[in-house]
């Protein structure tokens, strides 16, 4: 079970450490944690307090949001792909990256559509920030995150179409896999892409409270209302999320 330690207690830990956003299903953190668990990697965790400046963690890592991962004496890392490659290096089996170069490129490209800059997570964050900015005086925590994600009116207007395009690409890939009798996004087995989609789908259609026990006040914001995005949400994508969560995630999610 997930146990949070004080940040000061994990800085000098000799193994794998992760700073996770506490109390909310931050998809980058949930994906990283699940990748570690699928690979059987032991780790210690410290909380990133949402809405707080977390100065001590920022001073250590140079990053202003979670998750942040560090291994042994190596410098902390933050980017989703860096965390994935670290996990692959520490525990090559089971591999979550295809060995075939074409399949690997496809998986990383589609994962970037979910996790990367201007991907699903990025654009949903812009949509989530929009009501606070519309009030004319966003809280300091929202303002800090808005700066990180380049919040502006044009980006918010484009967010829905960008999310829809990413969803359609994922749906097309999943349908091609189902047509050949395979229930994974890439190849013939679980990959990081399956994990990323399962974690990030909570930004569009959160799992039930019994599986994803986020505070009730957050749930409406995590539920997409943009009609363009809703029209692109193929039921097959949500069915896939439900199956991968059942088979490979901690149930309920540990926040």
């Amino acid at each position: 079970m997930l146990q949070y330690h004080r940040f000061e207690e994990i800085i000098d830990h000799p193994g794998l450490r992760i700073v996770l956003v506490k109390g909310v299903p931050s998809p980058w953190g949930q994906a990283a944690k699940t990748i570690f668990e699928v690979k059987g990697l032991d780790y210690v965790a410290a909380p990133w307090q949402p809405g707080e400046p977390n100065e001590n963690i920022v001073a250590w890592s140079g990053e202003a949001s979670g998750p942040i991962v560090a291994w042994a004496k190596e410098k902390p890392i933050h980017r989703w792909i860096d965390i994935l490659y670290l996990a692959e290096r520490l525990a090559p089996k089971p591999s979550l990256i295809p060995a075939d170069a074409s399949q690997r490129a496809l998986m990383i490209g589609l994962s970037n559509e979910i996790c990367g800059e201007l991907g699903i997570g990025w654009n949903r964050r812009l949509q989530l920030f929009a009501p606070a900015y519309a009030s004319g005086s966003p809280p300091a925590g929202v303002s800090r995150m808005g700066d990180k994600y380049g919040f502006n009116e044009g980006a918010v207007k484009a967010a829905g179409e960008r999310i829809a395009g990413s969803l359609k690409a994922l749906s097309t890939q999943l349908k091609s896999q189902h047509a050949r009798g395979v229930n994974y996004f890439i190849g013939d087995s679980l990959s990081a892409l399956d994990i990323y989609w399962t974690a990030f789908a909570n930004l569009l259609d959160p799992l039930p409270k019994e599986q994803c026990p986020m505070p009730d006040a957050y749930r409406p914001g995590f539920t997409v209302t943009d009609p363009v995005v809703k029209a692109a949400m193929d039921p097959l994508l949500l069915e896939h999320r439900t199956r991968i969560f059942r088979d490979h995630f901690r149930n309920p999610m540990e926040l």
Side-chain angles (χ1 to χ4, degrees):
M1 293 182 64
L2 178 64
Q3 178 182 359
Y4 283 111
H5 301 264
R6 290 188 309 109
F7 171 68
E8 292 75 15
E9 294 175 345
I10 77 164
I11 293 178
D12 296 323
H13 188 277
L16 188 61
R17 294 95 82 201
I18 185 169
V19 176
L20 292 164
V21 181
K22 185 178 181 181
V24 295
S26 170
W28 287 271
Q30 289 298 315
K33 185 169 73 71
T34 300
I35 287 169
F36 295 162
E37 291 166 355
V38 166
K39 288 178 166 293
L41 289 167
D42 292 329
Y43 61 86
V44 294
W48 177 279
Q49 300 293 350
E52 300 296 327
N54 297 280
E55 293 102 335
N56 54 349
I57 302 175
V58 174
W60 167 70
S61 66
E63 299 294 342
S65 62
I68 301 161
V69 170
W71 163 250
K73 294 183 178 181
E74 297 178 11
K75 67 179 182 180
I77 57 177
H78 174 71
R79 296 170 64 244
W80 65 271
I81 196 166
D82 292 337
I83 295 171
L84 174 60
Y85 275 112
L86 173 64
E88 288 284 298
R89 170 160 58 92
L90 297 180
K93 301 294 182 182
S95 179
L96 296 175
I97 300 177
D100 176 79
S102 296
Q103 292 289 292
R104 184 167 63 249
L106 179 60
M107 192 212 78
I108 291 173
L110 288 173
S111 295
N112 194 63
E113 289 296 311
I114 297 173
C115 311
E117 187 168 339
L118 298 181
I120 290 172
W122 184 288
N123 284 297
R124 277 296 288 145
R125 282 279 174 87
L126 293 175
Q127 291 185 329
L128 287 168
F129 300 153
Y133 276 90
S135 71
S137 182
V142 172
S143 182
R144 280 193 297 272
M145 293 297 288
D147 290 344
K148 176 180 178 179
Y149 285 85
F151 185 92
N152 63 70
E153 185 175 335
V156 173
K157 286 183 178 179
E161 290 288 354
R162 287 172 172 166
I163 295 168
S166 299
L167 289 172
K168 290 173 184 176
L170 289 166
S171 177
T172 297
Q173 174 62 20
L174 193 58
K175 286 177 178 177
S176 72
Q177 288 284 91
H178 277 228
R180 68 184 194 90
V182 177
N183 290 323
Y184 298 101
F185 268 119
I186 299 289
D188 297 312
S189 61
L190 181 74
S191 75
L193 180 57
D194 299 295
I195 293 172
Y196 292 133
W197 167 244
T198 301
F200 279 76
N202 275 322
L203 287 176
L204 299 159
D205 181 49
L207 287 162
K209 185 174 183 178
E210 295 75 21
Q211 297 172 319
C212 179
M214 76 172 85
D216 290 341
Y218 292 169
R219 189 167 286 273
F222 274 66
T223 304
V224 71
T225 58
D226 184 331
V228 173
V229 178
K230 290 178 70 174
M233 282 288 290
D234 192 316
L236 187 64
L237 290 173
L238 294 178
E239 291 170 10
H240 187 74
R241 180 272 303 271
T242 298
R243 185 177 65 81
I244 296 297
F245 179 82
R246 181 196 66 209
D247 293 346
H248 301 285
F249 277 64
R250 286 190 180 270
N251 187 4
M253 281 185 164
E254 297 175 320
L255 310 180

